[in-house]
Amino acid sequence: MQHGSTDRPWWERGVIYQIYPRSFQDSDGDGIGDLAGIEARLDHVATLGVDAIWLSPVFPSPMADFGYDVADYCGIDPMFGDLAAFDRLLAAVHARGLKLLLDFVPNHSSDRHPWFQQSRSSRDDPRRDWYIWRDPAPGGGPPNNWISDFGGPAWEHDAATGQYFLHTFLKEQPDLNWRDPDLRAAMMAAMRFWFDRGVDGFRIDVLWHIVKARGLPDNPVNPDWHPGLNARDQVIQTFSTDQPEAHAIAADMRALADSFGDRALVGEIFLPNDRHARWFGKPDRPEVHLPFNFQLIENAWDAAVLARVIGDYDASIPAHGWPNWVFGSHDAPRIAARIGEAQARLAAVLLLTLRGTPTLFQGDEIGIGEVAIPPDRVRDPQEIRQPGIGLGRDRSRTPMPWDASAHAGFSSAEPWLPLNADWSTRNVTAQEADAGSMLHLYRSLLALRRANATLSIGDFALVEADTGVLAYERRSGAERLLVALNLGGEPRPLRLPAGAVVAETLASTLPLRTIDGMLAPDEGLILRLTEAD
């Protein structure tokens, strides 16, 4: 697939940086980050070299699931500020040449949302069908066997009206009914509210969940489930996710975004490649610009596995689609915790040199690793409901360490979650002063990507490599770049494509050295190739 032109939309050429607002910067001394804090730290984001910011939810919320339970889709929670503070932040983001994406949560609202309060007030309320209500099963009990993604039945009985309501996540997060045209119109109006305000797009939470199969049949039982796995996976979510009707909704969202010009939609979608690719839509009826691709998170850090995963995913992208990649998020274990700091440097090279749009999670640029969360500091409802099986998300949401002052410069008060244990030395200021730091590596890679379109929109091809080495070429016109990553702890031969020689080393995860035909342990290289004489 040819992608040689630099005249491409920003969401293809650019890099997205996710900010978890509670944990970026506190401006008012309550130990929780806020919009003014983000504004105060924008220069860090701008000098990093990314192109867009994605904010996790900042809407009014009781915070049962830390903002993913929305009580008002057109406001700002007082914890974070107000609409004026948002407008100031948006202006400051745009003044630095950056874009801003909000996190839209269409599958469910908070049970405190006025819509749900009205819906549950009576079976006859006009907004009853804005949520999914059903009578008990024959003989009593939940209407079907669906299981919440946080464990336990996905149904909650409402004594006042005698029916159950559906909640894919917490019972405080009732699912919205997108089959109701009035609900659908209200949610589209909420998106329009933020587009009118100037936001550059949305990351759309659990998009593949938003429509359920008619009749709500039982999901198939998963024969491979056993205790110790996520309780959600006791059933296969055949009828509760990825329904055909959801694509028309995604297409309508895309049409709305496109009506505002240069906007972008990123859809959270966990599906196999063939089903995942459908969320690009069709050329004449496109859906989300970037169906989020989590395969670098979900698969082992192994050269052969990654080569297969990357090749299969790249091949699955339709001609009108565009790939994307992510290693970390507010939900996933940190990459440095998974594979160690030395290999996390290679992960930075991989993320920023694959064909497609990368998303970088705050703190990964300084290599934050494992953060121990004492039992009395656990805040994540998923960990509280299913403790001890590795589902906790607090470890990824810890505050950003800025310097070695009290509370790492994040707040004047005790932060809402613990800092990384090495915050006094692993912080932005310390890494600013260290030319060999992870921060400087990310900045150099992002600058190289920005200066060289081959790394952002050039063609991609895996190349044959030694055991434990992942290697691929990026090409644009006569330019040939080789990325070679030694994912192992032993030296490995560096194989060049036939007829090629190294013209220049553009970047390395280790101190630059003369290329000698070998890759050192933990070494990743970006090389410019030329034809041999």
Side-chain angles (χ1 to χ4, degrees):
M1 188 185 302
Q2 283 293 325
H3 290 284
S5 171
T6 56
D7 184 23
R8 307 300 294 272
W10 67 265
W11 50 270
E12 289 189 4
R13 292 178 284 104
V15 177
I16 300 170
Y17 182 85
Q18 183 190 358
I19 288 178
Y20 194 69
R22 295 179 68 93
S23 296
F24 201 62
Q25 178 64 54
D26 173 23
S27 72
D28 59 7
D30 63 359
I32 298 172
D34 46 47
L35 297 181
I38 295 169
E39 183 181 352
R41 294 293 188 181
L42 278 181
D43 285 343
H44 168 73
V45 182
T47 56
L48 191 59
V50 300
D51 301 87
I53 293 168
W54 149 31
L55 293 185
S56 290
V58 292
F59 310 116
S61 169
M63 300 294 164
D65 191 22
F66 297 104
Y68 286 93
D69 48 321
V70 178
D72 177 1
Y73 286 96
C74 297
I76 298 293
D77 194 282
M79 176 185 298
F80 299 121
D82 54 23
L83 282 170
F86 176 82
D87 290 341
R88 288 191 295 271
L89 173 61
L90 181 61
V93 167
H94 286 166
R96 288 165 174 79
L98 299 170
K99 308 289 187 180
L100 184 65
L101 309 182
L102 290 182
D103 206 324
F104 192 63
V105 187
N107 179 71
H108 49 269
S109 76
S110 167
D111 63 351
R112 307 282 183 87
H113 197 297
W115 296 347
F116 186 71
Q117 295 293 309
Q118 294 164 11
S119 181
R120 78 184 312 176
S121 67
S122 163
R123 290 195 184 199
D124 298 323
D125 189 88
R127 287 183 172 158
R128 183 67 169 185
D129 286 339
W130 285 33
Y131 293 83
I132 300 174
W133 294 91
R134 291 295 184 272
D135 289 330
N144 64 25
N145 71 343
W146 294 2
I147 295 175
S148 160
D149 278 23
F150 286 172
W155 295 94
E156 181 72 10
H157 188 255
D158 179 64
T161 59
Q163 286 190 313
Y164 285 82
F165 65 85
L166 180 68
H167 58 93
T168 295
F169 297 93
L170 298 174
K171 63 181 175 61
E172 293 85 0
Q173 296 169 285
D175 279 34
L176 293 160
N177 178 20
W178 277 82
R179 294 186 183 276
D180 184 280
D182 292 333
L183 177 278
R184 187 164 168 169
M187 292 297 282
M188 298 298 285
M191 296 183 80
R192 181 179 292 276
F193 172 87
W194 294 105
F195 279 134
D196 283 337
R197 215 164 192 97
V199 302
D200 300 288
F202 295 95
R203 177 266 191 184
I204 306 173
D205 186 61
V206 296
L207 178 59
W208 86 113
H209 275 272
I210 62 172
V211 176
K212 283 70 177 174
R214 290 191 185 277
L216 309 181
D218 280 354
N219 276 323
V221 174
N222 181 1
D224 298 323
W225 184 86
H226 58 81
L229 297 179
N230 194 331
R232 169 201 67 194
D233 297 327
Q234 293 177 68
V235 298
I236 300 168
Q237 296 181 327
T238 303
F239 300 112
S240 52
T241 66
D242 196 31
Q243 298 304 300
E245 298 93 331
H247 291 279
I249 296 168
D252 286 348
M253 291 177 173
R254 173 64 176 267
L256 176 62
D258 287 349
S259 74
F260 282 85
D262 197 19
R263 304 295 192 266
L265 300 179
V266 180
E268 184 187 21
I269 298 161
F270 283 89
L271 290 170
N273 283 336
D274 57 339
R275 293 163 63 192
H276 188 271
R278 296 174 193 164
W279 288 88
F280 287 107
K282 298 177 180 178
D284 61 345
R285 183 78 160 128
E287 296 178 27
V288 292
H289 300 78
L290 300 172
F292 230 164
N293 166 34
F294 297 93
Q295 295 190 52
L296 295 182
I297 294 175
E298 297 173 324
N299 285 280
W301 185 249
D302 174 87
V305 170
L306 291 175
R308 173 181 54 78
V309 165
I310 291 167
D312 289 350
Y313 170 73
D314 192 72
S316 76
I317 305 298
H320 62 283
W322 184 247
N324 66 90
W325 303 94
V326 60
F327 261 126
S329 76
H330 63 290
D331 288 333
R334 286 198 175 272
I335 184 62
R338 287 176 52 203
I339 64 177
E341 181 165 1
Q343 287 286 305
R345 294 173 70 88
L346 275 73
V349 177
L350 179 62
L351 179 67
L352 296 175
T353 61
L354 287 171
R355 186 177 80 94
T357 304
T359 296
L360 171 63
F361 182 55
Q362 70 174 55
D364 283 352
E365 74 269 31
I366 59 172
I368 295 175
E370 189 68 42
V371 183
I373 309 295
D376 63 341
R377 298 293 301 276
V378 170
R379 305 293 297 277
D380 178 20
Q382 184 159 259
E383 174 68 14
I384 292 169
R385 289 167 64 94
Q386 298 189 73
I389 62 173
L391 298 178
R393 301 168 296 175
D394 290 337
R395 58 192 171 181
S396 301
R397 302 174 175 188
T398 57
M400 189 77 172
W402 296 101
D403 56 41
S405 67
H407 308 305
F410 165 74
S411 177
S412 59
E414 180 72 17
W416 74 287
L417 280 176
L419 291 155
N420 48 297
D422 57 353
W423 64 267
S424 62
T425 55
R426 185 178 300 282
N427 59 64
V428 172
T429 300
Q431 293 204 5
E432 289 265 12
D434 178 4
S437 68
M438 185 79 81
L439 178 59
H440 277 273
L441 175 65
Y442 266 98
R443 284 180 176 172
S444 65
L445 291 169
L446 285 160
L448 179 62
R449 179 185 173 90
R450 185 179 295 275
N452 194 317
T454 303
L455 286 176
S456 58
I457 58 174
D459 294 334
F460 169 87
L462 291 162
V463 301
E464 186 176 353
D466 203 74
T467 302
V469 174
L470 177 63
Y472 47 92
E473 273 196 75
R474 303 299 310 278
R475 291 194 183 198
S476 181
E479 172 110 290
R480 295 180 66 188
L481 304 180
L482 176 69
V483 180
L485 308 172
N486 183 359
L487 275 58
E490 301 292 334
R492 292 293 183 189
L494 171 63
R495 299 185 188 177
L496 301 180
V501 295
V502 176
E504 183 183 2
T505 301
L506 298 180
S508 173
T509 58
L510 301 178
L512 288 175
R513 62 182 181 85
T514 301
I515 302 301
D516 60 3
M518 297 294 290
L519 282 168
D522 305 321
E523 186 170 41
L525 297 171
I526 305 175
L527 305 171
R528 177 175 282 119
L529 303 180
T530 189
E531 297 296 323
D533 294 334

